[in-house]
Amino acid sequence: MTDGFNILRASYHTLGCKLNFSETSAIGMQLARRGIIRALPEETPDIVVVNTCSVTEMADKKGRSLIRRLRSRWPQATLVVTGCYAQLKPQEVASIEGVDIVLGNDEKLRIAEFLEQWETDRRSKVEVHDYLDIREFRGACERGDRTRYWLKVQDGCDYFCTYCTIPFARGRSRSGRISDLVAEAEKAAEAGGKEIVLTGVNVGCFGKDTGEDFLELLKRLDNVEGIERYRISSIEPNLLTESIVRWIADESRAFMPSFHIPLQSGSDEVLRLMNRRYRTDVFSDRISLIRSLIPDAFIGVDIIAGARGETEEEWEKSYNYAASLPISRYHVFPYSERPGTKALGIDHQVSQEEKHRRVALLTKLSDEKLRDFSRKFFGTARPVLWEHPDAEENGVMYGHTDNYLRIRANASASNFNSITPALITGFHDVETLDGTVITCSGKNDVAFRKNE
């Protein structure tokens, strides 16, 4: 696709989930192997790749806005749009002025083929398979510009929650093979990777199609030398089994004490209307189990405000339940109407004004939860993986503790991608804590993590 005198440059833009970021990084590596290098911020790219999200109407709007902005900035570049918005509304995306190639989720990791065809005939292309035809698992394990690696272990979803379009965007659940995923982790370790995040649409369903087991995958990955930290991006509460939690607490070498678990509503009636696979008793049981076995664990929870069917009574139940949980923070989302979903048949609708009010209350609750959780660690030392320097302040680095507290500290750039203990001294802001690097310690990451 290139020659010695014409080096092509590509610019990558990602919206949405960690899985999308993983796949964008994989696209970048794939094109790099074809001689297409990543454009620097000050350079003009020849190719622009936009990997979109479509989890809400706002995500679609952001996608359209980004596409138009990039086309206006680089009108001569070949513009490729992929991801969930492209999968669900390909003709709408193709109609945006300046879009050259539209690829569905099943095609995104074959982007090089479509670019080669474009180089030959310069004909616009829309290539999107129906979600029922998406059967192949296409793996990705890349770091991109970040410290962590994202290892895609699963894709697609069979749950069909009434408010969600993701099964239509990603297809049915499918998984990688444990042997292949372990090999990818070993490559990341050889490349100097310290932390891997396991990503997927519904990672707890790993192995349903291959006959393998999620806990076995965790155990095999735990044995990969060189990888010091693993995290699970998100896992459904009904799939986060007691055996998984106990193994992480008692036996794992490198799986960190942090969890991301979607709740979506604290009302059992709303959970039923959403077609969720659990009720609040199951969720409470999982949180209690984690807190009893791993008291320092960070627990992030997704929750939706203003879903169809969330009457004032159900909202009160949901909020009070959310307030009662001993979690670390909430990720709050306003309910968004999605075309073609069964939720549109639910009678009770919440006004936009009321959604905003509920979002504000849950966001305030989340800030309180995060402050309360963070205060517990003032004056304690935790291991920090230093991830990036402050762009505006020399000698300042940011990183995350084992239990996913974001730390800001005066530190040398040589600390990048290394794990050192830091004393947590207080709040820098709601999201970030101040810390002091401890230069001499005989303790390792696991020792700190397990409070030994």
Side-chain angles (χ1 to χ4, degrees), residues 78-120:
T78 299
L79 180 54
V80 184
V81 182
T82 185
C84 291
Y85 179 35
Q87 175 72 36
L88 291 171
K89 300 178 180 178
Q91 296 307 323
E92 182 175 306
V93 173
S95 70
I96 299 174
E97 185 177 355
V99 172
D100 298 305
I101 301 172
V102 179
L103 301 178
N105 278 321
D106 201 36
E107 290 75 28
K108 70 167 63 169
L109 295 179
R110 294 169 48 215
I111 188 171
E113 301 172 28
F114 294 99
L115 284 172
E116 285 181 350
Q117 184 177 337
W118 168 262
E119 285 291 308
T120 300

mmCIF file of all heavy atoms in Angstrom, residues 78-120:
data_model
loop_
_atom_site.group_PDB
_atom_site.id
_atom_site.type_symbol
_atom_site.label_atom_id
_atom_site.label_comp_id
_atom_site.label_asym_id
_atom_site.label_seq_id
_atom_site.Cartn_x
_atom_site.Cartn_y
_atom_site.Cartn_z
ATOM 1 N N THR A 78 -8.715 9.930 3.177
ATOM 2 C CA THR A 78 -9.693 8.845 3.028
ATOM 3 C C THR A 78 -10.341 8.625 4.393
ATOM 4 O O THR A 78 -9.654 8.348 5.386
ATOM 5 C CB THR A 78 -9.009 7.548 2.570
ATOM 6 O OG1 THR A 78 -8.395 7.779 1.299
ATOM 7 C CG2 THR A 78 -10.012 6.406 2.467
ATOM 8 N N LEU A 79 -11.651 8.742 4.478
ATOM 9 C CA LEU A 79 -12.371 8.676 5.752
ATOM 10 C C LEU A 79 -13.098 7.338 5.880
ATOM 11 O O LEU A 79 -13.996 7.036 5.088
ATOM 12 C CB LEU A 79 -13.367 9.835 5.851
ATOM 13 C CG LEU A 79 -14.208 9.939 7.122
ATOM 14 C CD1 LEU A 79 -13.339 9.942 8.376
ATOM 15 C CD2 LEU A 79 -15.065 11.198 7.077
ATOM 16 N N VAL A 80 -12.693 6.557 6.867
ATOM 17 C CA VAL A 80 -13.282 5.238 7.130
ATOM 18 C C VAL A 80 -14.043 5.296 8.447
ATOM 19 O O VAL A 80 -13.480 5.698 9.471
ATOM 20 C CB VAL A 80 -12.200 4.147 7.224
ATOM 21 C CG1 VAL A 80 -12.842 2.775 7.397
ATOM 22 C CG2 VAL A 80 -11.299 4.165 6.002
ATOM 23 N N VAL A 81 -15.299 4.899 8.436
ATOM 24 C CA VAL A 81 -16.115 4.882 9.654
ATOM 25 C C VAL A 81 -16.535 3.446 9.937
ATOM 26 O O VAL A 81 -17.050 2.746 9.053
ATOM 27 C CB VAL A 81 -17.356 5.780 9.533
ATOM 28 C CG1 VAL A 81 -18.155 5.760 10.838
ATOM 29 C CG2 VAL A 81 -16.945 7.212 9.180
ATOM 30 N N THR A 82 -16.314 3.014 11.170
ATOM 31 C CA THR A 82 -16.691 1.664 11.575
ATOM 32 C C THR A 82 -17.292 1.715 12.975
ATOM 33 O O THR A 82 -17.593 2.779 13.494
ATOM 34 C CB THR A 82 -15.452 0.726 11.502
ATOM 35 O OG1 THR A 82 -15.865 -0.616 11.786
ATOM 36 C CG2 THR A 82 -14.375 1.139 12.487
ATOM 37 N N GLY A 83 -17.507 0.558 13.591
ATOM 38 C CA GLY A 83 -18.062 0.514 14.937
ATOM 39 C C GLY A 83 -19.567 0.347 14.963
ATOM 40 O O GLY A 83 -20.216 0.093 13.942
ATOM 41 N N CYS A 84 -20.146 0.515 16.149
ATOM 42 C CA CYS A 84 -21.562 0.173 16.354
ATOM 43 C C CYS A 84 -22.519 1.101 15.616
ATOM 44 O O CYS A 84 -23.563 0.660 15.127
ATOM 45 C CB CYS A 84 -21.867 0.144 17.851
ATOM 46 S SG CYS A 84 -21.077 -1.244 18.709
ATOM 47 N N TYR A 85 -22.203 2.391 15.539
ATOM 48 C CA TYR A 85 -23.068 3.305 14.790
ATOM 49 C C TYR A 85 -23.070 2.926 13.311
ATOM 50 O O TYR A 85 -24.124 2.892 12.656
ATOM 51 C CB TYR A 85 -22.571 4.739 14.997
ATOM 52 C CG TYR A 85 -23.341 5.818 14.281
ATOM 53 C CD1 TYR A 85 -24.720 5.729 14.091
ATOM 54 C CD2 TYR A 85 -22.691 6.962 13.816
ATOM 55 C CE1 TYR A 85 -25.420 6.732 13.446
ATOM 56 C CE2 TYR A 85 -23.383 7.972 13.179
ATOM 57 C CZ TYR A 85 -24.749 7.856 12.990
ATOM 58 O OH TYR A 85 -25.441 8.856 12.348
ATOM 59 N N ALA A 86 -21.892 2.586 12.777
ATOM 60 C CA ALA A 86 -21.801 2.149 11.388
ATOM 61 C C ALA A 86 -22.536 0.838 11.166
ATOM 62 O O ALA A 86 -23.138 0.622 10.101
ATOM 63 C CB ALA A 86 -20.330 2.007 10.979
ATOM 64 N N GLN A 87 -22.502 -0.049 12.151
ATOM 65 C CA GLN A 87 -23.178 -1.341 12.042
ATOM 66 C C GLN A 87 -24.693 -1.173 12.025
ATOM 67 O O GLN A 87 -25.399 -1.800 11.223
ATOM 68 C CB GLN A 87 -22.769 -2.240 13.211
ATOM 69 C CG GLN A 87 -23.498 -3.574 13.285
ATOM 70 C CD GLN A 87 -23.068 -4.552 12.218
ATOM 71 O OE1 GLN A 87 -21.903 -4.590 11.850
ATOM 72 N NE2 GLN A 87 -23.999 -5.349 11.712
ATOM 73 N N LEU A 88 -25.198 -0.336 12.917
ATOM 74 C CA LEU A 88 -26.644 -0.204 13.082
ATOM 75 C C LEU A 88 -27.283 0.720 12.052
ATOM 76 O O LEU A 88 -28.432 0.517 11.653
ATOM 77 C CB LEU A 88 -26.959 0.304 14.494
ATOM 78 C CG LEU A 88 -26.663 -0.682 15.630
ATOM 79 C CD1 LEU A 88 -26.806 0.015 16.973
ATOM 80 C CD2 LEU A 88 -27.593 -1.889 15.553
ATOM 81 N N LYS A 89 -26.557 1.752 11.619
ATOM 82 C CA LYS A 89 -27.129 2.731 10.687
ATOM 83 C C LYS A 89 -26.140 3.022 9.563
ATOM 84 O O LYS A 89 -25.688 4.164 9.373
ATOM 85 C CB LYS A 89 -27.488 4.018 11.439
ATOM 86 C CG LYS A 89 -28.516 3.807 12.549
ATOM 87 C CD LYS A 89 -28.811 5.097 13.288
ATOM 88 C CE LYS A 89 -29.834 4.879 14.403
ATOM 89 N NZ LYS A 89 -30.104 6.136 15.161
ATOM 90 N N PRO A 90 -25.789 2.021 8.768
ATOM 91 C CA PRO A 90 -24.748 2.201 7.754
ATOM 92 C C PRO A 90 -25.100 3.232 6.688
ATOM 93 O O PRO A 90 -24.243 4.010 6.260
ATOM 94 C CB PRO A 90 -24.588 0.805 7.151
ATOM 95 C CG PRO A 90 -25.861 0.087 7.471
ATOM 96 C CD PRO A 90 -26.300 0.631 8.785
ATOM 97 N N GLN A 91 -26.358 3.251 6.254
ATOM 98 C CA GLN A 91 -26.724 4.194 5.208
ATOM 99 C C GLN A 91 -26.737 5.628 5.737
ATOM 100 O O GLN A 91 -26.388 6.570 5.007
ATOM 101 C CB GLN A 91 -28.081 3.819 4.608
ATOM 102 C CG GLN A 91 -28.084 2.468 3.903
ATOM 103 C CD GLN A 91 -26.985 2.343 2.855
ATOM 104 O OE1 GLN A 91 -26.673 3.322 2.146
ATOM 105 N NE2 GLN A 91 -26.393 1.162 2.742
ATOM 106 N N GLU A 92 -27.120 5.792 6.985
ATOM 107 C CA GLU A 92 -27.080 7.124 7.596
ATOM 108 C C GLU A 92 -25.640 7.620 7.665
ATOM 109 O O GLU A 92 -25.361 8.795 7.366
ATOM 110 C CB GLU A 92 -27.690 7.073 8.996
ATOM 111 C CG GLU A 92 -27.735 8.418 9.708
ATOM 112 C CD GLU A 92 -28.456 8.345 11.040
ATOM 113 O OE1 GLU A 92 -29.619 7.875 11.067
ATOM 114 O OE2 GLU A 92 -27.859 8.757 12.056
ATOM 115 N N VAL A 93 -24.728 6.748 8.046
ATOM 116 C CA VAL A 93 -23.313 7.121 8.111
ATOM 117 C C VAL A 93 -22.781 7.414 6.712
ATOM 118 O O VAL A 93 -22.082 8.405 6.487
ATOM 119 C CB VAL A 93 -22.487 6.007 8.782
ATOM 120 C CG1 VAL A 93 -20.991 6.316 8.694
ATOM 121 C CG2 VAL A 93 -22.901 5.832 10.238
ATOM 122 N N ALA A 94 -23.137 6.554 5.752
ATOM 123 C CA ALA A 94 -22.643 6.721 4.385
ATOM 124 C C ALA A 94 -23.128 8.032 3.764
ATOM 125 O O ALA A 94 -22.465 8.595 2.879
ATOM 126 C CB ALA A 94 -23.076 5.547 3.521
ATOM 127 N N SER A 95 -24.274 8.528 4.236
ATOM 128 C CA SER A 95 -24.835 9.760 3.670
ATOM 129 C C SER A 95 -24.149 11.015 4.193
ATOM 130 O O SER A 95 -24.371 12.113 3.655
ATOM 131 C CB SER A 95 -26.337 9.837 3.970
ATOM 132 O OG SER A 95 -26.558 10.064 5.361
ATOM 133 N N ILE A 96 -23.321 10.873 5.235
ATOM 134 C CA ILE A 96 -22.586 12.034 5.749
ATOM 135 C C ILE A 96 -21.527 12.425 4.721
ATOM 136 O O ILE A 96 -20.735 11.600 4.279
ATOM 137 C CB ILE A 96 -21.933 11.719 7.107
ATOM 138 C CG1 ILE A 96 -22.999 11.354 8.146
ATOM 139 C CG2 ILE A 96 -21.117 12.906 7.605
ATOM 140 C CD1 ILE A 96 -22.431 10.879 9.476
ATOM 141 N N GLU A 97 -21.523 13.672 4.333
ATOM 142 C CA GLU A 97 -20.628 14.131 3.272
ATOM 143 C C GLU A 97 -19.172 13.824 3.605
ATOM 144 O O GLU A 97 -18.689 14.124 4.698
ATOM 145 C CB GLU A 97 -20.802 15.634 3.055
ATOM 146 C CG GLU A 97 -19.992 16.176 1.892
ATOM 147 C CD GLU A 97 -20.234 17.650 1.653
ATOM 148 O OE1 GLU A 97 -21.102 18.225 2.334
ATOM 149 O OE2 GLU A 97 -19.556 18.219 0.777
ATOM 150 N N GLY A 98 -18.485 13.211 2.644
ATOM 151 C CA GLY A 98 -17.063 12.958 2.800
ATOM 152 C C GLY A 98 -16.694 11.585 3.312
ATOM 153 O O GLY A 98 -15.514 11.221 3.299
ATOM 154 N N VAL A 99 -17.670 10.783 3.748
ATOM 155 C CA VAL A 99 -17.365 9.429 4.213
ATOM 156 C C VAL A 99 -17.096 8.543 3.000
ATOM 157 O O VAL A 99 -17.910 8.473 2.073
ATOM 158 C CB VAL A 99 -18.517 8.855 5.056
ATOM 159 C CG1 VAL A 99 -18.272 7.375 5.367
ATOM 160 C CG2 VAL A 99 -18.669 9.640 6.352
ATOM 161 N N ASP A 100 -15.963 7.865 3.000
ATOM 162 C CA ASP A 100 -15.562 7.049 1.852
ATOM 163 C C ASP A 100 -15.864 5.569 2.034
ATOM 164 O O ASP A 100 -16.300 4.893 1.097
ATOM 165 C CB ASP A 100 -14.064 7.224 1.587
ATOM 166 C CG ASP A 100 -13.700 8.657 1.236
ATOM 167 O OD1 ASP A 100 -14.306 9.195 0.292
ATOM 168 O OD2 ASP A 100 -12.843 9.247 1.926
ATOM 169 N N ILE A 101 -15.620 5.057 3.247
ATOM 170 C CA ILE A 101 -15.795 3.625 3.501
ATOM 171 C C ILE A 101 -16.547 3.457 4.818
ATOM 172 O O ILE A 101 -16.181 4.066 5.837
ATOM 173 C CB ILE A 101 -14.431 2.905 3.589
ATOM 174 C CG1 ILE A 101 -13.630 3.087 2.291
ATOM 175 C CG2 ILE A 101 -14.613 1.423 3.890
ATOM 176 C CD1 ILE A 101 -12.202 2.567 2.371
ATOM 177 N N VAL A 102 -17.586 2.632 4.809
ATOM 178 C CA VAL A 102 -18.350 2.302 6.020
ATOM 179 C C VAL A 102 -18.218 0.800 6.249
ATOM 180 O O VAL A 102 -18.582 -0.002 5.383
ATOM 181 C CB VAL A 102 -19.836 2.689 5.881
ATOM 182 C CG1 VAL A 102 -20.600 2.319 7.150
ATOM 183 C CG2 VAL A 102 -19.975 4.179 5.589
ATOM 184 N N LEU A 103 -17.712 0.420 7.424
ATOM 185 C CA LEU A 103 -17.500 -0.986 7.745
ATOM 186 C C LEU A 103 -18.222 -1.352 9.023
ATOM 187 O O LEU A 103 -18.146 -0.630 10.029
ATOM 188 C CB LEU A 103 -16.003 -1.279 7.911
ATOM 189 C CG LEU A 103 -15.098 -0.978 6.710
ATOM 190 C CD1 LEU A 103 -13.651 -1.276 7.068
ATOM 191 C CD2 LEU A 103 -15.537 -1.781 5.493
ATOM 192 N N GLY A 104 -18.924 -2.483 9.020
ATOM 193 C CA GLY A 104 -19.573 -2.985 10.221
ATOM 194 C C GLY A 104 -18.558 -3.568 11.196
ATOM 195 O O GLY A 104 -17.353 -3.638 10.924
ATOM 196 N N ASN A 105 -19.043 -4.018 12.334
ATOM 197 C CA ASN A 105 -18.144 -4.548 13.356
ATOM 198 C C ASN A 105 -17.437 -5.819 12.908
ATOM 199 O O ASN A 105 -16.317 -6.097 13.342
ATOM 200 C CB ASN A 105 -18.915 -4.798 14.652
ATOM 201 C CG ASN A 105 -19.082 -3.538 15.469
ATOM 202 O OD1 ASN A 105 -18.162 -2.731 15.549
ATOM 203 N ND2 ASN A 105 -20.250 -3.357 16.069
ATOM 204 N N ASP A 106 -18.082 -6.600 12.060
ATOM 205 C CA ASP A 106 -17.449 -7.836 11.603
ATOM 206 C C ASP A 106 -16.359 -7.566 10.568
ATOM 207 O O ASP A 106 -15.516 -8.417 10.306
ATOM 208 C CB ASP A 106 -18.502 -8.773 10.992
ATOM 209 C CG ASP A 106 -18.044 -10.217 10.960
ATOM 210 O OD1 ASP A 106 -17.349 -10.641 11.910
ATOM 211 O OD2 ASP A 106 -18.374 -10.931 9.999
ATOM 212 N N GLU A 107 -16.386 -6.361 10.003
ATOM 213 C CA GLU A 107 -15.425 -6.016 8.961
ATOM 214 C C GLU A 107 -14.288 -5.136 9.468
ATOM 215 O O GLU A 107 -13.284 -4.962 8.772
ATOM 216 C CB GLU A 107 -16.132 -5.274 7.814
ATOM 217 C CG GLU A 107 -17.070 -6.121 6.987
ATOM 218 C CD GLU A 107 -18.389 -6.442 7.671
ATOM 219 O OE1 GLU A 107 -18.832 -5.631 8.523
ATOM 220 O OE2 GLU A 107 -18.977 -7.497 7.376
ATOM 221 N N LYS A 108 -14.420 -4.556 10.656
ATOM 222 C CA LYS A 108 -13.466 -3.520 11.070
ATOM 223 C C LYS A 108 -12.029 -4.030 11.143
ATOM 224 O O LYS A 108 -11.087 -3.281 10.853
ATOM 225 C CB LYS A 108 -13.882 -2.868 12.394
ATOM 226 C CG LYS A 108 -13.768 -3.741 13.617
ATOM 227 C CD LYS A 108 -13.891 -2.939 14.922
ATOM 228 C CE LYS A 108 -15.205 -2.265 15.098
ATOM 229 N NZ LYS A 108 -15.382 -1.723 16.474
ATOM 230 N N LEU A 109 -11.840 -5.294 11.521
ATOM 231 C CA LEU A 109 -10.483 -5.818 11.616
ATOM 232 C C LEU A 109 -9.998 -6.404 10.288
ATOM 233 O O LEU A 109 -8.969 -7.076 10.233
ATOM 234 C CB LEU A 109 -10.380 -6.845 12.744
ATOM 235 C CG LEU A 109 -10.604 -6.269 14.151
ATOM 236 C CD1 LEU A 109 -10.502 -7.340 15.217
ATOM 237 C CD2 LEU A 109 -9.622 -5.136 14.442
ATOM 238 N N ARG A 110 -10.751 -6.117 9.214
ATOM 239 C CA ARG A 110 -10.312 -6.422 7.848
ATOM 240 C C ARG A 110 -10.123 -5.127 7.064
ATOM 241 O O ARG A 110 -10.153 -5.097 5.849
ATOM 242 C CB ARG A 110 -11.347 -7.304 7.143
ATOM 243 C CG ARG A 110 -11.504 -8.705 7.736
ATOM 244 C CD ARG A 110 -12.732 -9.400 7.163
ATOM 245 N NE ARG A 110 -12.772 -9.292 5.705
ATOM 246 C CZ ARG A 110 -13.899 -9.161 4.999
ATOM 247 N NH1 ARG A 110 -15.079 -9.097 5.619
ATOM 248 N NH2 ARG A 110 -13.864 -9.073 3.687
ATOM 249 N N ILE A 111 -9.885 -4.053 7.787
ATOM 250 C CA ILE A 111 -9.848 -2.730 7.175
ATOM 251 C C ILE A 111 -8.789 -2.613 6.089
ATOM 252 O O ILE A 111 -8.978 -1.931 5.084
ATOM 253 C CB ILE A 111 -9.644 -1.646 8.262
ATOM 254 C CG1 ILE A 111 -9.812 -0.246 7.670
ATOM 255 C CG2 ILE A 111 -8.290 -1.795 8.944
ATOM 256 C CD1 ILE A 111 -9.835 0.843 8.726
ATOM 257 N N ALA A 112 -7.656 -3.310 6.264
ATOM 258 C CA ALA A 112 -6.576 -3.223 5.277
ATOM 259 C C ALA A 112 -7.047 -3.681 3.897
ATOM 260 O O ALA A 112 -6.682 -3.086 2.869
ATOM 261 C CB ALA A 112 -5.377 -4.038 5.727
ATOM 262 N N GLU A 113 -7.873 -4.729 3.873
ATOM 263 C CA GLU A 113 -8.385 -5.235 2.593
ATOM 264 C C GLU A 113 -9.200 -4.161 1.865
ATOM 265 O O GLU A 113 -9.068 -3.970 0.649
ATOM 266 C CB GLU A 113 -9.274 -6.457 2.817
ATOM 267 C CG GLU A 113 -8.603 -7.633 3.500
ATOM 268 C CD GLU A 113 -9.624 -8.702 3.850
ATOM 269 O OE1 GLU A 113 -10.658 -8.791 3.150
ATOM 270 O OE2 GLU A 113 -9.392 -9.437 4.833
ATOM 271 N N PHE A 114 -10.037 -3.460 2.631
ATOM 272 C CA PHE A 114 -10.912 -2.460 2.024
ATOM 273 C C PHE A 114 -10.125 -1.227 1.588
ATOM 274 O O PHE A 114 -10.452 -0.598 0.580
ATOM 275 C CB PHE A 114 -12.026 -2.095 3.002
ATOM 276 C CG PHE A 114 -12.971 -3.226 3.273
ATOM 277 C CD1 PHE A 114 -12.837 -4.002 4.416
ATOM 278 C CD2 PHE A 114 -13.973 -3.549 2.369
ATOM 279 C CE1 PHE A 114 -13.692 -5.072 4.658
ATOM 280 C CE2 PHE A 114 -14.831 -4.606 2.598
ATOM 281 C CZ PHE A 114 -14.692 -5.376 3.747
ATOM 282 N N LEU A 115 -9.071 -0.890 2.329
ATOM 283 C CA LEU A 115 -8.236 0.233 1.927
ATOM 284 C C LEU A 115 -7.451 -0.089 0.656
ATOM 285 O O LEU A 115 -7.260 0.779 -0.203
ATOM 286 C CB LEU A 115 -7.284 0.615 3.062
ATOM 287 C CG LEU A 115 -7.920 1.396 4.215
ATOM 288 C CD1 LEU A 115 -6.949 1.542 5.370
ATOM 289 C CD2 LEU A 115 -8.402 2.776 3.754
ATOM 290 N N GLU A 116 -7.012 -1.335 0.533
ATOM 291 C CA GLU A 116 -6.315 -1.738 -0.690
ATOM 292 C C GLU A 116 -7.242 -1.638 -1.897
ATOM 293 O O GLU A 116 -6.844 -1.189 -2.979
ATOM 294 C CB GLU A 116 -5.777 -3.160 -0.546
ATOM 295 C CG GLU A 116 -4.551 -3.250 0.340
ATOM 296 C CD GLU A 116 -4.005 -4.661 0.448
ATOM 297 O OE1 GLU A 116 -4.689 -5.611 -0.004
ATOM 298 O OE2 GLU A 116 -2.906 -4.817 0.986
ATOM 299 N N GLN A 117 -8.502 -2.053 -1.700
ATOM 300 C CA GLN A 117 -9.482 -1.946 -2.788
ATOM 301 C C GLN A 117 -9.734 -0.485 -3.131
ATOM 302 O O GLN A 117 -9.839 -0.111 -4.311
ATOM 303 C CB GLN A 117 -10.776 -2.631 -2.376
ATOM 304 C CG GLN A 117 -11.835 -2.655 -3.471
ATOM 305 C CD GLN A 117 -13.089 -3.411 -3.028
ATOM 306 O OE1 GLN A 117 -13.043 -4.250 -2.126
ATOM 307 N NE2 GLN A 117 -14.204 -3.086 -3.663
ATOM 308 N N TRP A 118 -9.814 0.357 -2.093
ATOM 309 C CA TRP A 118 -10.018 1.792 -2.298
ATOM 310 C C TRP A 118 -8.866 2.396 -3.094
ATOM 311 O O TRP A 118 -9.072 3.218 -4.000
ATOM 312 C CB TRP A 118 -10.166 2.484 -0.958
ATOM 313 C CG TRP A 118 -10.089 3.978 -1.002
ATOM 314 C CD1 TRP A 118 -9.000 4.765 -0.728
ATOM 315 C CD2 TRP A 118 -11.141 4.883 -1.353
ATOM 316 N NE1 TRP A 118 -9.300 6.086 -0.882
ATOM 317 C CE2 TRP A 118 -10.615 6.196 -1.261
ATOM 318 C CE3 TRP A 118 -12.469 4.713 -1.737
ATOM 319 C CZ2 TRP A 118 -11.375 7.325 -1.534
ATOM 320 C CZ3 TRP A 118 -13.232 5.846 -2.010
ATOM 321 C CH2 TRP A 118 -12.685 7.130 -1.904
ATOM 322 N N GLU A 119 -7.650 1.975 -2.783
ATOM 323 C CA GLU A 119 -6.482 2.479 -3.512
ATOM 324 C C GLU A 119 -6.568 2.124 -4.998
ATOM 325 O O GLU A 119 -6.082 2.854 -5.860
ATOM 326 C CB GLU A 119 -5.200 1.891 -2.923
ATOM 327 C CG GLU A 119 -4.773 2.482 -1.599
ATOM 328 C CD GLU A 119 -4.306 3.921 -1.742
ATOM 329 O OE1 GLU A 119 -3.444 4.185 -2.592
ATOM 330 O OE2 GLU A 119 -4.835 4.782 -1.018
ATOM 331 N N THR A 120 -7.220 1.003 -5.298
ATOM 332 C CA THR A 120 -7.321 0.534 -6.682
ATOM 333 C C THR A 120 -8.398 1.262 -7.479
ATOM 334 O O THR A 120 -8.168 1.712 -8.604
ATOM 335 C CB THR A 120 -7.611 -0.978 -6.718
ATOM 336 O OG1 THR A 120 -6.547 -1.662 -6.050
ATOM 337 C CG2 THR A 120 -7.744 -1.483 -8.137
#
